């Protein structure tokens, strides 16, 4: 039977002449070398061991190395290299980082030798994504209160705390419970991967007749999906780590890994969730506050807040600014939803709020990349200097910048422009059955967020590594 035209396109289309399935070329598993590597024992193990070794060196340097962030190998590798690259990786390769993350490998090792494989607690199943969002917010807040990013010791202790959480959950519970419900990067990774360019999916016509469910349960070739995903029903890249366990276990050659248009998954979210939308709006506020705290105007803002709070205590005044910065985008999204929806029907307002909050994600991604671009391009040489120093080859560190501040700003403006286009186009695709005129408030909201980002990037910023 010929495939219905209203079905999504999958890597197997029906050959018109012989009615046999044929593979589409955008499935990278069609390339024999790629597939052979992904189903081999080397993937993702070879990458995992490399990152685990590098992670161990980084933690040691942070905890036992120099207290100067300028000269510490761990600080530069974590905050000048890894943190700027991570959103780009989510955009281009989805959650591939999660496949090679040292925490994931550590979890696998602990479970292999000491794990009890007890089911994940119902509490974590129900509220895990909210906990992930909360941990991300708390870690961002604590950086500004205790200066974690600028302190090698602070960064090291943070990584050790996270390592302890990984070990504890891996001993107590099945699969990667920490990665699924507690990792502070989980919400960020999920949202950004929804807008990403890579996806793993099953082929519906093949999966529906499968009796083994080996993608979820596992097989003698690989354990079940560590993120509790069932490929047959999976329609999002938000929680797929691209670990290839399902590819190795699938007896029917049903899995495809293919590139797609950026943001395309956002256009048709089947079950939009409040926690994803709230995080998208909150991240926009966090990007704003991250930029503002690096500007000279930040001291004026603190003075204004201190007049209201009646104290000059930085933790108090920053917390007030931090909360306000997160509330503003959420409130703006709610007001926009109110303008577009039937104002008398709060359920309608909520539906618009939850659905169109996903449209903020491309701008979140752009703001995150643009902000961190400043650090990697103006401090990036510290990575080379400190890596050489690790092997006893000390060099006189001069200017750490790869390029001028003006060039960085131009690149930042271009990235924000692309982010605005991605968000505006997502609004357009989401509202295909509604007039552009009706959706003007949402287009205006994305424009306001983009202009705010651009304005902040025109102002001189401080560095992480001095």
């Amino acid at each position: 039977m010929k495939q219905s035209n209203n079905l999504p396109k999958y890597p197997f289309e029906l050959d018109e002449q012989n009615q046999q399935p044929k593979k589409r070329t955008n499935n990278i598993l069609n390339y024999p070398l790629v597939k052979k590597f992904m189903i081999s024992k080397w993937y993702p193990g070879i990458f995992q061991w490399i990152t685990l070794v590098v992670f161990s060196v980084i933690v040691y340097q942070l905890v036992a190395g120099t207290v100067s962030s300028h000269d510490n190998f761990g600080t530069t590798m974590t905050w000048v290299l890894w943190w700027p690259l991570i959103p780009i990786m989510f955009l281009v390769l989805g959650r591939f980082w999660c496949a090679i993350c040292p925490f994931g490998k550590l979890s696998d090792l602990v479970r292999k030798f000491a794990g009890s494989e007890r089911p994940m607690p119902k509490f974590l199943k129900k509220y895990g994504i909210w906990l992930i969002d909360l941990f991300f917010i708390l870690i961002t807040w604590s950086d500004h209160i205790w200066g974690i990013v600028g302190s090698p010791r602070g960064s090291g202790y943070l990584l050790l705390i996270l390592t302890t959480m990984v070990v504890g959950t891996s001993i107590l519970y099945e699969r990667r419970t920490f990665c699924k419900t507690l990792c502070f990067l989980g919400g960020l990774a999920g949202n950004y991967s929804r807008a990403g360019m890579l996806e793993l999916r099953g082929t519906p016509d093949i999966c529906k007749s499968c009796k083994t469910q080996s993608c979820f349960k596992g097989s003698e070739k690989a354990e079940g999906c560590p993120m509790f995903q069932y490929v047959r029903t999976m329609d999002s890249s938000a929680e797929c780590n691209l670990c290839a366990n399902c590819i190795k276990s699938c007896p029917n050659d049903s899995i495809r890994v293919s590139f797609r248009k950026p943001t395309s998954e956002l256009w048709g979210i089947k079950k939009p969730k409040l926690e994803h939308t709230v995080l998208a709006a909150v991240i926009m506020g966090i990007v704003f506050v991250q930029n503002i705290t690096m500007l000279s105007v930040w001291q004026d803002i603190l003075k204004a807040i201190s007049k209201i709070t009646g104290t000059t205590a930085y933790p108090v005044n920053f917390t007030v600014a931090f909360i306000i910065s997160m509330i503003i985008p959420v409130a703006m999204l709610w007001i926009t939803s109110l303008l577009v929806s039937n104002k008398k029907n709060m359920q309608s307002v909520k539906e618009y709020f939850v659905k169109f909050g996903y449209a903020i994600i491309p701008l979140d991604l752009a703001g995150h990349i643009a902000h961190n671009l400043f650090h990697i391009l103006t401090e990036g040489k510290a990575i080379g200097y400190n890596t050489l120093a690790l092997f006893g080859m000390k060099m006189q560190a001069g200017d750490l910048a790869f390029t001028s501040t003006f060039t960085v700003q131009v690149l930042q403006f271009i990235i924000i422009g692309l982010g605005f286009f991605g968000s505006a186009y997502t609004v357009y695709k989401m509202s295909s059955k509604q007039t552009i005129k009706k959706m003007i408030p949402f287009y205006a909201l994305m424009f306001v967020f983009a202009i705010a980002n651009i304005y902040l990037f025109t102002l001189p910023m401080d560095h992480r590594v001095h």
Side-chain angles (χ1 to χ4, degrees):
M1 180 182 292
K2 189 174 179 179
Q3 189 177 21
S4 175
N5 290 332
N6 63 354
L7 289 176
K9 293 182 178 179
Y10 291 100
F12 293 88
E13 296 178 328
L14 217 54
D15 189 298
E16 295 292 342
Q17 294 182 348
N18 57 23
Q19 298 293 295
Q20 295 298 316
K22 61 180 181 179
K23 295 182 180 180
R24 295 180 65 204
T25 56
N26 73 335
N27 179 7
I28 65 173
L29 296 181
N30 288 345
Y31 298 95
L33 287 178
V34 174
K35 184 172 183 179
K36 184 177 180 180
F37 176 59
M38 291 193 74
I39 63 175
S40 73
K41 64 179 180 180
W42 299 104
Y43 181 87
I46 189 171
F47 301 115
Q48 291 175 324
W49 283 111
I50 291 172
T51 56
L52 187 59
V53 170
V54 174
F55 173 77
S56 301
V57 175
I58 286 173
V59 172
Y60 176 79
Q61 289 295 315
L62 289 171
V63 174
T66 175
V67 295
S68 168
S69 60
H70 182 282
D71 301 315
N72 192 288
F73 172 80
T75 299
T76 52
M77 290 297 289
T78 303
W79 303 118
V80 180
L81 180 62
W82 174 77
W83 188 240
L85 290 182
I86 199 70
I88 299 174
M89 187 175 292
F90 290 144
L91 172 64
V92 177
L93 298 175
R95 291 187 66 158
F96 172 71
W97 165 255
C98 298
I100 66 174
C101 173
F103 287 153
K105 184 61 179 178
L106 179 61
S107 175
D108 294 343
L109 292 172
V110 171
R111 286 188 296 108
K112 181 178 180 180
F113 295 104
S116 66
E117 296 297 318
R118 280 184 289 184
M120 181 194 302
K122 292 181 179 180
F123 174 82
L124 291 181
K125 286 182 180 180
K126 186 174 182 179
Y127 298 108
I129 186 63
W130 286 108
L131 290 175
I132 284 173
D133 294 352
L134 178 62
F135 287 154
F136 176 74
I137 292 169
L138 286 177
I139 288 176
T140 305
W141 172 82
S142 63
D143 169 38
H144 290 275
I145 299 299
W146 294 297
I148 290 175
V149 170
S151 166
R153 298 294 183 268
S155 298
Y157 296 148
L158 171 62
L159 292 179
L160 288 175
I161 290 172
L162 293 173
T163 301
T164 302
M165 291 174 65
V166 172
V167 173
T169 53
S170 299
I171 290 174
L172 294 174
Y173 305 117
E174 63 179 331
R175 309 197 187 192
R176 293 187 182 177
T177 293
F178 173 84
C179 303
K180 173 79 172 178
T181 62
L182 296 172
C183 177
F184 77 101
L185 266 184
L188 199 72
N191 270 8
Y192 288 175
S193 295
R194 287 185 178 91
M197 300 166 58
L198 193 67
E199 68 175 13
L200 182 150
R201 297 289 188 272
T203 307
D205 288 345
I206 297 177
C207 289
K208 69 181 181 182
S209 60
C210 178
K211 305 298 182 182
T212 66
Q213 299 183 0
S214 56
C215 57
F216 181 81
K217 296 179 179 179
S219 68
E220 69 280 359
K221 297 178 181 178
E223 72 170 354
C225 176
M227 294 294 285
F228 306 86
Q229 296 298 290
Y230 184 28
V231 176
R232 178 176 175 176
T233 58
M234 190 172 72
D235 59 3
S236 173
S237 297
E239 294 188 340
C240 174
N241 287 357
L242 296 166
C243 65
N245 282 9
C246 59
I247 301 173
K248 295 173 183 177
S249 295
C250 179
N252 303 312
D253 198 27
S254 174
I255 312 298
R256 71 174 173 92
V257 180
S258 56
F259 286 97
R260 63 187 182 183
K261 296 176 183 177
T263 75
S264 59
E265 183 181 312
L266 302 175
W267 306 343
I269 299 290
K270 293 181 178 180
K271 296 180 180 179
K273 294 184 178 181
L274 179 64
E275 52 265 42
H276 300 154
T277 282
V278 170
L279 180 63
V282 163
I283 287 175
M284 182 58 63
I286 289 176
V287 169
F288 287 154
V289 81
Q290 292 281 53
N291 287 335
I292 292 171
T293 56
M294 297 173 64
L295 305 175
S296 57
V297 71
W298 174 236
Q299 296 304 318
D300 296 330
I301 293 174
L302 286 178
K303 289 179 182 178
I305 294 175
S306 68
K307 292 180 181 178
I308 299 173
T309 60
T311 178
T312 58
Y314 182 80
V316 174
N317 294 329
F318 170 77
T319 300
V320 172
F322 189 61
I323 293 173
I324 292 174
S325 70
M326 292 188 295
I327 290 176
I328 288 176
V330 176
M332 291 175 69
L333 177 61
W334 181 264
I335 292 170
T336 304
S337 302
L338 188 66
L339 292 174
V340 174
S341 68
N342 182 349
K343 298 179 182 179
K344 296 180 181 179
N345 185 348
M346 285 298 103
Q347 182 61 31
S348 175
V349 177
K350 182 180 178 181
E351 288 174 358
Y352 275 98
F353 177 86
V354 174
K355 179 179 180 180
F356 285 90
Y358 286 86
I360 301 174
I361 292 175
L363 264 172
D364 283 341
L365 190 53
H368 192 162
I369 292 174
H371 173 86
N372 286 325
L373 189 71
F374 170 80
H375 295 294
I376 197 168
L377 291 184
T378 62
E379 308 165 45
K381 289 183 180 178
I383 300 167
Y385 292 139
N386 292 339
T387 301
L388 291 173
L390 192 66
F391 296 96
M393 296 179 283
K394 286 190 175 290
M395 295 181 62
Q396 185 65 37
D399 183 10
L400 300 179
F402 286 118
T403 187
S404 67
T405 301
F406 174 77
T407 301
V408 173
Q409 287 178 331
V410 171
L411 292 173
Q412 288 174 324
F413 298 158
I414 292 173
I415 292 170
I416 295 300
L418 292 172
F420 168 70
F421 175 78
S423 288
Y425 193 66
T426 299
V427 171
Y428 171 75
K429 295 293 286 187
M430 283 180 167
S431 57
S432 57
K433 294 183 180 180
Q434 302 181 63
T435 63
I436 292 179
K437 182 178 179 181
K438 180 177 181 180
M439 304 307 295
I440 284 178
F442 278 112
Y443 292 116
L445 178 66
M446 303 309 159
F447 183 74
V448 169
F449 285 155
I451 293 300
N453 271 287
I454 288 175
Y455 172 71
L456 291 175
F457 289 132
T458 63
L459 304 176
M461 291 189 174
D462 195 8
H463 294 81
R464 284 183 179 142
V465 178
H466 300 277

